[in-house]
Amino acid sequence: MSLQDPIILGIESSCDETAAAVVACGARVLSSVVASQIDIHRKYGGVVPELASREHLRQIVPVVREAIGQAGIELKDVDAVAVTQGPGLVGALLVGMTYGKALAMSLGKPLIGVNHLAGHVHAVFLEAHMTGGKIPELPAVCLIVSGGHTMLYRVSSRRPAVDIPALFEYERIGGTRDDAAGEAYDKVARMLALGYPGGPIVDQLAAHGDPAAIRFGTPKMTGNPHDFSFSGIKTAVLYHLQKHKELEPEIAARKEALARGERSAAALKSLCTQPTLDLIASFQHAVVEDLVTRTIRAAQESSVKSILVTGGVAANRELRTRFEAEAKRVGMDAYFPSRALSTDNAAMIAAAGYPSYANGLFDSSTLNADPNLPLAKSA
Ligand code: KG4
Ligand code: ZN
């Protein structure tokens, strides 16, 4: 690392991860520390906003300190502080925002407010820079798919994306009208007593079931064809369970196993009958096919060459395989961040803040958290 390389400290606290990272030139991750609150929210089956804020307060100082230490720098070496401004839980965002602001002011360094969703988009480019992989060609269509969001954007830039300080422009193409895809995973996992969060365990168990066993219809929607809806499939799983009372004893057995702390895929799989594994595989298949089909269609209509898939659910193996195959079929390339960069982290926030830094676009100390901060206007 040369001392001339601009160094950005990123801070992220929009949901249930307190994270800090140090990134040089918007492309090299020198450290990335994530303190997850999963253990705190697990017993509620979802994120409890008050508990999240309290935990962020406890974690923010040690997490930032650890990120600085792991990067082998001192706070005075930081050239700017990039902090998530929104969207997210207001109390959670305020912790990172207030701390980031105070830090920037006390260091006399610029403050950069970053949209969390822009962070997810930049995670894909950061991955390519870190691994020496191909940089996605712009314009691209980006699917952001997580526990809080399922959104489709057109991403463009006046400069090629290989020029790292390129400022991106975003156009909203579509989004979920109800649940986010990750939320559907978490709710279905809760109904089936598979633990929290549901995505990783459903991902693993789905490999052992028949995805064609149960047909879940595609959601019928009027209006924007690029919108998503996942509440119907969640309700379909609920009706299926109400109809198949014979599945109740194994659900009770899994609840007991979870209460004993037995939450590994192997432990839970041994408590799943084949019809349950088939239900899990069919649910995942329906969600994945809907995400892939609508995104590919949007990419074709937008005449782009690259498809970016990011956010927690982008870690899903079936989703990646299907996107790769379908993108290839239509002559496009699909790009994903690594698992660590797919879920919430602060390296993506620092990377997203770098183009603003390079272009001298700084925020003042009046910057405030915005729980509904939009990434772009609708197309
Ligand atoms: O991006 P993220 O860490 O936080 C939010 O901004 O929501 O995403 C967390 C979500 C959870 O709903 C989790 O169940 C889901 O991502 N998830 C997955 C997988 N890993 C995490 N969903 C499907 N398959 C996975 N492998
Ligand atoms: Zn996120």
Side-chain angles (χ1 to χ4, degrees), residues 49-320:
E50 290 80 359
L51 296 182
S53 317
R54 202 182 301 164
E55 191 60 15
H56 284 307
L57 271 175
R58 254 170 37 84
Q59 296 286 359
I60 190 83
V61 175
V63 164
V64 169
R65 196 175 291 153
E66 198 177 328
I68 294 290
Q70 281 187 17
I73 61 164
E74 291 178 38
L75 268 176
K76 65 172 174 47
D77 301 324
V78 165
D79 291 294
V81 178
V83 56
T84 304
Q85 187 188 359
L89 302 169
V90 68
L93 288 165
L94 274 170
V95 176
M97 172 59 72
T98 311
Y99 186 68
K101 236 195 269 191
L103 201 56
M105 282 174 73
S106 63
L107 294 170
K109 298 291 164 71
L111 172 76
I112 299 163
V114 172
N115 187 302
H116 179 82
L117 300 173
H120 277 302
V121 175
H122 277 269
V124 185
F125 292 86
L126 188 53
E127 176 75 25
H129 289 300
M130 290 292 288
T131 57
K134 191 174 158 200
I135 309 292
E137 208 179 290
L138 293 180
V141 158
C142 183
L143 171 69
I144 302 175
V145 62
S146 70
H149 309 279
T150 301
M151 308 284 280
L152 270 176
Y153 290 98
R154 185 174 192 275
V155 185
S156 58
S157 169
R158 286 173 205 187
R159 293 166 63 178
V162 272
D163 295 351
I164 301 173
L167 281 165
F168 292 172
E169 285 160 24
Y170 304 95
E171 203 178 291
R172 187 183 186 281
I173 301 175
T176 184
R177 296 195 185 168
D178 38 62
D179 293 351
E183 198 179 346
Y185 266 93
D186 294 338
K187 287 178 176 170
V188 164
R190 191 177 158 93
M191 285 181 219
L192 289 168
L194 295 173
Y196 173 82
I201 186 85
V202 169
D203 187 354
Q204 292 177 71
L205 297 184
H208 302 280
D210 174 8
I214 302 157
R215 291 244 164 258
F216 293 107
T218 12
K220 305 252 175 313
M221 286 186 292
T222 52
N224 185 356
H226 304 305
D227 277 348
F228 299 93
S229 168
F230 294 104
S231 70
I233 184 161
K234 174 193 69 187
T235 312
V237 172
L238 179 69
Y239 288 161
H240 182 92
L241 292 177
Q242 284 171 351
K243 207 165 119 197
H244 292 272
K245 298 273 183 230
E246 70 278 12
L247 299 178
E248 278 175 10
E250 58 172 295
I251 291 178
R254 290 195 295 270
K255 271 192 189 142
E256 282 168 23
L258 289 173
R260 290 193 299 270
E262 293 163 20
R263 52 186 72 257
S264 73
L268 292 166
K269 181 175 170 279
S270 69
L271 296 170
C272 288
T273 57
Q274 196 56 46
T276 293
L277 294 171
D278 291 346
L279 173 63
I280 292 169
S282 302
F283 160 76
Q284 167 155 300
H285 181 72
V287 172
V288 165
E289 285 312 306
D290 196 56
L291 289 169
V292 172
T293 311
R294 286 181 202 271
T295 305
I296 296 272
R297 200 186 302 143
Q300 285 178 306
E301 277 181 27
S302 304
S303 306
V304 300
K305 288 258 175 55
S306 323
I307 296 173
L308 322 177
V309 187
T310 182
V313 184
N316 187 274
R317 286 171 297 179
E318 187 177 335
L319 187 77
R320 286 179 178 241

Side-chain angles (χ1 to χ4, degrees), residues 12 14-15 17 116-117 120 144 146-149 311-312 342-345 348:
E12 154 65 35
S14 65
C15 190
E17 267 97 18
H116 179 82
L117 300 173
H120 277 302
I144 302 175
S146 70
H149 309 279
S342 293
T343 50
D344 286 352
N345 65 87
M348 69 184 195

